[in-house]
Amino acid sequence: MRTLCASTLIGEFFVIGFAGLVAMKDDTLSTTTVWTVCGVAMLLSVLLCGMLTRPGGVQLGWGLQGALILSGFVVPMMFFLGALFAALWWASVHYGRIIDEAKARWAAQAESQAAADAS
């Protein structure tokens, strides 16, 4: 699960940066505001890569997905991209857990086979 989720978060890192460039064209937003908000979101996306296995890491990821969707009020294309990344996040969590369970089963089978061969 960690690999799939981290890949999604790194993709979001770049999308957030590009959204910041688009948001800078809005005359009502200052450059400082745009890059403070985008910088915090980009930092969070990178930090979450290392926090995925800790309690609450996946939930924080869901919070980031919600924030991406809500950023569509500033950059309208982010409604679509936020929803797309939320779907990718769901798939990463869902299928990542299935893959982790399969890997654990295969490791247990290999261990029991090795124990049987040693006997």
Side-chain angles (χ1 to χ4, degrees):
M1 177 181 80
R2 186 173 189 266
T3 303
L4 291 174
C5 290
S7 298
T8 301
L9 290 168
I10 294 301
E12 288 177 7
F13 172 86
F14 290 107
V15 168
I16 293 166
F18 290 132
L21 292 173
V22 173
M24 282 181 46
K25 292 184 178 185
D26 188 348
D27 294 335
T28 62
L29 300 172
S30 72
T31 304
T32 305
T33 302
V34 169
W35 289 114
T36 300
V37 172
C38 288
V40 167
M42 291 170 76
L43 180 65
L44 180 61
S45 69
V46 171
L47 291 177
L48 275 173
C49 290
M51 294 177 51
L52 289 170
T53 56
R54 292 191 175 11
V58 173
Q59 289 76 15
L60 283 173
W62 278 114
L64 181 62
Q65 306 317 309
L68 276 179
I69 293 170
L70 291 176
S71 70
F73 288 109
V74 178
V75 178
M77 186 62 173
M78 289 304 290
F79 283 124
F80 171 73
L81 290 174
L84 178 67
F85 272 100
L88 283 172
W89 182 253
W90 175 84
S92 297
V93 171
H94 178 73
Y95 293 111
R97 286 183 176 153
I98 291 171
I99 291 169
D100 288 348
E101 290 170 4
K103 283 182 179 179
R105 257 193 330 260
W106 294 333
Q109 287 175 352
E111 187 177 305
S112 67
Q113 183 64 33
D117 289 345
S119 299

